[in-house]
Every structure is written in structure tokens, then in C-alpha cells.
Amino acid sequence: MTARMLVNGVAATQVSALDRGLAYGDGLFESIRLLGTVAPLWSRHMQRLTEGCARLQIPAPDPAQLWREALEVSRGMLESVLRITVTRGLGERGYALPASPQPTRVVAAFTPPPVAAKIYALGVRMRVCTIRLAEQPLLAGIKHLNRLEQVLARAEWNDPAIAEGVLLDSHGRVISATMANLFAVVDGELLTPSLDRCGVAGVARAEVLAACPQARVAELTLDTLLDAGEVFLSSSVRGILPVRSLDGCGYAPGTMARRLQQHWRNLGFSMEQGG
Amino acid sequence: MTARMLVNGVAATQVSALDRGLAYGDGLFESIRLLGTVAPLWSRHMQRLTEGCARLQIPAPDPAQLWREALEVSRGMLESVLRITVTRGLGERGYALPASPQPTRVVAAFTPPPVAAKIYALGVRMRVCTIRLAEQPLLAGIKHLNRLEQVLARAEWNDPAIAEGVLLDSHGRVISATMANLFAVVDGELLTPSLDRCGVAGVARAEVLAACPQARVAELTLDTLLDAGEVFLSSSVRGILPVRSLDGCGYAPGTMARRLQQHWRNLGFSMEQGG
């Protein structure tokens, strides 16, 4: 794995083994697509990170400092994915919050995952995951470090032809994919699930909602999803991915995904050319 | 924080910033009370750790190796609390399991938390937490690293006179305390909540259940708990703690807690003498 990294602003590859990020998953992260020295969705990432810090009562990092560090770790890379991790820092053994938390900040740049041009053109194949997301309103929406549900969901399949899995909650409501948000066009209307009880409110999802004011947050059953005229995924790392099949049920890439892929190009992303 | 530590068997204080334990809370831990070179509940801890590794598909560490490392980090300490952390190790960015996982193993020894003798004699004061535990059967029972719910629960109060909080699930069922399991004597019967949907199946709880074959795993409402004749907590670190009050409702330390404190003494624990 090749990554350039800063830990609390210093070139380093390690964190304390007593960090609460490791001990309890007590922190947050962001995965941010960079095009050279431009991050088109930066302000949305910073907004979510700040909200997450407030929710977990972790002092929020300074976005200007993070941006300087982002430029430093990604220097010379034409394209990169930045991972910013913020934890509550060191703590005594035990769950109680430290009296004077000193958050840990890790900024790392990675080579973006390759996505073939035909994936953007034809779409991804998906399956429905067996695991059901637990409902925890106090943690829903934010991108915290407690991600075992996503790890278990992604471990459900090995077939490289399947790119993603649909996650339902314990009531059978569609929530998202394992690493992307999900949109469906139903009776001509663009819908995406509510993330008030579980799931991560993606930055790309926020961009789609801003670009499509007619889109609506709504409850989606699996049956509705299977009957949808068009389904696509939004990801801050991969952009807009049409869905071509779900457990054998086929979809054609639709006009909404094409329109949003164009919006992504207009933002400066070049992913549709083959990543 | 004073701790002696081994990371993968080597004296070290740090782990890779790319460890999946930090990235996703992708791992497990055990908190083990040591009396010199004796750990009375060691085999129960190893059993739970092994079960947790199987559940998360992480190769389990060798208990004999962990024991050698436990003795090394705790050398010269009359009493200590061992924290063993096992993660899935390094991974590519992304949730998918690495093809050949190399787990990370952290073994650290800490000074035990002080518990006054009068706490064992008179009991602890508790409150009912506002947060409700989410129900995830695939993660229930094991001591994984996704502990934000416990962190948020413990952050609900600052009053040092309150030692612990009662956690309910989203259906209002009593599950546990934030860092201990909970028992109640109801109509003369010893009851403890089921942990099939959420909560951690404590090693001390398993010891209580083995020592009291008449005890029963049962659904407990908050009303039942408030009406109980006796309530106590079990913790591998703190032992058996009577509960003297819950949000102002008082209990007297009962015969069951006394009997189990004696059982703990017979195991070799000396905590009742003042930790």
C-alpha cells in the first residue's frame, strides 16, 4: 500500500496504540477525491466533518490546516484520494471522555481506485446484502469510525463482477450501498433514502440533492427499488455510477445518471474517462 | 498514562496509521484483571476473543503467545489490567477484507482503576442513559472495537458520584451498564438480560452464570429493574458491584451480591479489599 501521510502535521506512518480511534473507533473520517490541487467537494467534506465532530463532542480541526496538509501529502499526484481521519486522541483506559482532549489528525493520500470507463457507461452489478443495518439515530449520517457493519456487508461476496451491495435496515427499508449512497427514479421522480436512523450522508449525495432540487428523500422498499426505472450510486471517490443489475434484475443506465455524470464533469472530475 | 506494551510481540507504543482497527474499528479487545501472574478468568477471555475472531473472520491469536506477552508487560506489577487488542491489521483503503490478513496484536498492562472498599460494601449509584443501543445481532455479544455508543452513553453525565449508567435498547429493554453487565433479583430469582441483539457478553457475567446455575437470561423492563429486590453489576475489571441507587430509587446490597463477592475472593481476586 503506497500512501503519503501526515500525523498531526508531521510526516509519520504510525499513531499511538492508546489512541481512542483504535480503542473504540472514537473518531471520524472523510474520503476526498483530489484532482491535482483541486477538491471540488472540499467544502461539503469539511461541513460533514465539522458536524460529525460536534455530534461526537470532538474539537473540530481547522479546515485551512487540513487543506495545507492535503496539498502536502498529494504533491505531484495528478489524481488522488485523500483520507482524513480525526480521533479523540489519547485517553485513559475507559469510555469516559478525557478532560482535555487532544485530537489525532491523520491526512493520507492514496492512488484512486481504478474504475473502467465502461463501468461509467454501462453501470455496476449489485446484490442485496444479508446483514441489516442497526438503527442508531445519534450516529446516523456522520462518517464515524465504527464501520464493522460495512466490513461484514462487503465480506458477504467475493465475485469481482459484483461491485456493490444494497444495505437494508432492520425494517427492510433500503438505506444505501456499502460505500456509496443510492438513488432511484420511481414514476419519474428522483428518490433517495432517509439517513436519519442509519447510513452515512454522503458528500456526493448532498451534491446530487443540491443539483436536483426536485429530488426527494423518501422511504424506499426493496420492491420499489427492483421496480425502479433507473438506479444509480453516488460516491465522493467514484462519482456517479449507474446500476445495471440488482440480484439479476436489470436496469438501463438512465438520463438522470447521465445528467449527473455531466454535472460531475462540470465540477472538474474526469472519472468518466476511465479513472 | 502509564502502560507497558507489546505490538505484535515487540516493545512498541504505536501501530500503523493504516491499521483497519483505526480505520474501521475492525477488531476486538479484552480487558483482563491480573493478580501478579494469575488471571483467574483467562480461559473465558480467550474463549470470547476466539469467538469474536471467528464472527469477524479474523485469524485468532494463539492464547499461549498472548499469555507469554501478558506476563512480560505486567512483570513486577502486583495487580494490573491487561488490554489485549486484535485487529484485522493493514488493509487497502476500502471495506473489502484483505486476501491475506496479518492481524495486529497489542498487549498492554495498566494500573487497575481504584475502587474504594466502601463501594464494594455499599454499592454504586447509577442513572438511566438516554441513548438507546442499536440492535445488530451479527455484532451482539462480542467485544468488538465499535464502541461509540458506549462513549456517547458515558458522556451523558459528569457527576463523579454516579458510577455507571443503565443502557436500554430501542424497545426499552434493559441490556447492561456502559462497562459492566447487570443482574437483578426479581421475586427471588436471579435474572440478567439477553445479549443476542446488542450488548457485550461479559466474561464476569459468564462466571456469574456458571456459579449460579439457577440464574436465568430474561427480558427485563426498566420498571422491573426499579422494582427489583437487589441489583448488581459484574465486570472483569471491577468484580461484583452492588447497585445502591438508580435515578434515586434505592436498593440495599443483597445476599446474592455478597455471595458472588465471596466467589470472586475464592477465585483469588482481592478487589473487595479496596482495589
Side-chain angles (χ1 to χ4, degrees):
Chain A
M1 182 158 24
T2 54
R4 285 195 304 202
M5 250 183 290
L6 294 170
V7 177
N8 293 327
V10 177
T13 60
Q14 296 191 306
V15 298
S16 168
L18 302 179
D19 195 281
R20 289 175 62 109
L22 176 66
Y24 306 127
D26 192 5
L28 300 147
F29 70 109
E30 293 289 332
S31 296
I32 305 174
R33 187 84 189 215
L34 241 82
L35 302 132
T37 60
V38 178
L41 301 178
W42 178 261
S43 61
R44 293 194 186 280
H45 283 288
M46 290 304 106
Q47 189 182 343
R48 181 175 61 180
L49 181 60
T50 303
E51 285 172 12
C53 283
R55 193 96 72 87
L56 299 186
Q57 304 173 49
I58 293 175
D62 172 18
Q65 184 180 46
L66 287 178
W67 180 243
R68 286 192 300 274
E69 296 177 356
L71 291 179
E72 187 173 337
V73 294
S74 65
R75 190 177 300 149
M77 297 173 82
L78 285 179
E79 300 221 21
S80 57
V81 174
L82 206 67
R83 178 171 163 135
I84 296 177
T85 307
V86 175
T87 81
R88 204 182 304 274
L90 291 183
E92 296 293 323
R93 217 188 46 75
Y95 297 126
L97 305 191
S100 308
Q102 305 271 313
T104 299
R105 191 171 80 248
V106 181
V107 179
F110 298 83
T111 307
V115 181
K118 72 171 185 188
I119 292 294
Y120 289 111
L122 302 178
V124 296
R125 294 182 204 279
M126 291 184 76
R127 66 190 294 283
V128 178
C129 291
T130 303
I131 191 174
R132 295 289 173 265
L133 292 176
E135 292 161 48
Q136 178 50 271
L138 296 183
L139 294 173
I142 62 176
K143 204 167 169 85
H144 55 70
L145 296 174
N146 280 200
R147 292 291 155 214
L148 274 173
E149 290 186 323
Q150 281 73 23
V151 170
L152 290 184
R154 185 59 190 82
E156 286 186 18
W157 80 95
N158 281 315
D159 182 354
I162 305 291
E164 257 289 15
V166 170
L167 291 170
L168 312 179
D169 70 12
S170 62
H171 293 89
R173 294 179 284 236
V174 172
I175 302 299
S176 65
T178 68
M179 48 182 183
N181 287 111
L182 183 146
F183 288 82
V185 179
V186 178
D187 296 333
E189 200 180 14
L190 181 58
L191 304 178
T192 193
S194 162
L195 304 173
D196 291 340
R197 289 169 290 227
C198 49
V200 178
V203 158
R205 173 180 181 268
E207 181 66 26
V208 170
L209 289 174
C212 304
Q214 80 283 15
R216 197 161 61 83
V217 173
E219 206 163 289
L220 262 185
T221 65
L222 187 55
D223 283 346
T224 306
L225 188 64
L226 290 167
D227 285 343
E230 178 182 350
V231 178
F232 64 88
L233 305 179
S234 65
S235 155
S236 59
V237 171
R238 290 174 176 78
I240 302 296
L241 296 165
V243 175
R244 68 186 293 186
S245 71
L246 175 55
D247 276 345
C249 162
Y251 306 99
T255 52
M256 196 61 79
R258 294 286 177 246
R259 193 187 132 197
L260 284 159
Q261 287 180 333
Q262 184 56 50
H263 178 76
W264 245 246
R265 259 179 237 115
N266 295 345
L267 288 171
F269 289 107
S270 57
M271 291 179 281
E272 291 76 3
Q273 269 65 56
Chain B
M1 184 158 23
T2 53
R4 285 196 305 203
M5 249 183 293
L6 294 170
V7 177
N8 293 327
V10 177
T13 60
Q14 296 191 307
V15 299
S16 168
L18 302 179
D19 195 280
R20 290 176 61 109
L22 176 67
Y24 306 127
D26 192 4
L28 301 146
F29 72 109
E30 295 289 332
S31 297
I32 305 173
R33 186 83 189 218
L34 241 81
L35 302 132
T37 59
V38 178
L41 301 178
W42 178 261
S43 61
R44 293 194 187 280
H45 284 288
M46 290 303 106
Q47 188 183 341
R48 180 175 60 182
L49 182 59
T50 304
E51 284 172 12
C53 284
R55 192 97 71 86
L56 298 186
Q57 304 173 49
I58 294 175
D62 172 17
Q65 183 180 46
L66 288 178
W67 181 243
R68 285 192 300 274
E69 295 177 356
L71 291 180
E72 188 172 338
V73 294
S74 65
R75 191 177 300 149
M77 297 173 81
L78 284 178
E79 300 221 21
S80 57
V81 174
L82 207 69
R83 177 170 163 137
I84 297 177
T85 307
V86 175
T87 81
R88 204 183 304 275
L90 292 182
E92 295 294 323
R93 217 189 45 75
Y95 297 125
L97 304 192
S100 308
Q102 305 272 312
T104 299
R105 193 171 78 248
V106 181
V107 179
F110 298 82
T111 306
V115 180
K118 71 170 184 187
I119 293 293
Y120 289 112
L122 301 177
V124 296
R125 294 183 204 278
M126 292 185 74
R127 65 190 295 281
V128 178
C129 290
T130 303
I131 191 174
R132 296 288 174 264
L133 292 176
E135 292 161 47
Q136 177 49 270
L138 297 182
L139 294 173
I142 62 175
K143 203 166 169 84
H144 55 69
L145 296 175
N146 280 200
R147 293 291 155 214
L148 274 173
E149 290 186 322
Q150 281 73 22
V151 171
L152 291 183
R154 185 58 190 83
E156 286 186 17
W157 80 95
N158 281 316
D159 182 354
I162 305 292
E164 258 289 14
V166 169
L167 291 169
L168 312 179
D169 69 12
S170 62
H171 292 88
R173 294 178 284 235
V174 172
I175 301 299
S176 65
T178 68
M179 48 183 184
N181 288 111
L182 184 145
F183 288 82
V185 178
V186 178
D187 297 332
E189 200 181 13
L190 181 59
L191 305 178
T192 193
S194 162
L195 304 173
D196 291 341
R197 288 169 293 227
C198 49
V200 178
V203 158
R205 173 180 180 268
E207 182 67 26
V208 171
L209 289 174
C212 304
Q214 80 285 12
R216 198 160 59 83
V217 173
E219 205 163 290
L220 262 185
T221 66
L222 188 54
D223 283 345
T224 305
L225 188 62
L226 290 166
D227 285 342
E230 178 183 351
V231 177
F232 63 88
L233 305 179
S234 65
S235 155
S236 59
V237 171
R238 290 174 176 79
I240 302 296
L241 296 166
V243 176
R244 70 185 292 182
S245 71
L246 175 57
D247 276 347
C249 162
Y251 306 99
T255 52
M256 195 61 80
R258 294 286 177 245
R259 192 187 133 196
L260 284 159
Q261 288 179 333
Q262 185 57 49
H263 178 76
W264 244 246
R265 259 179 235 115
N266 295 346
L267 288 171
F269 289 107
S270 58
M271 291 180 280
E272 291 76 4
Q273 270 65 54

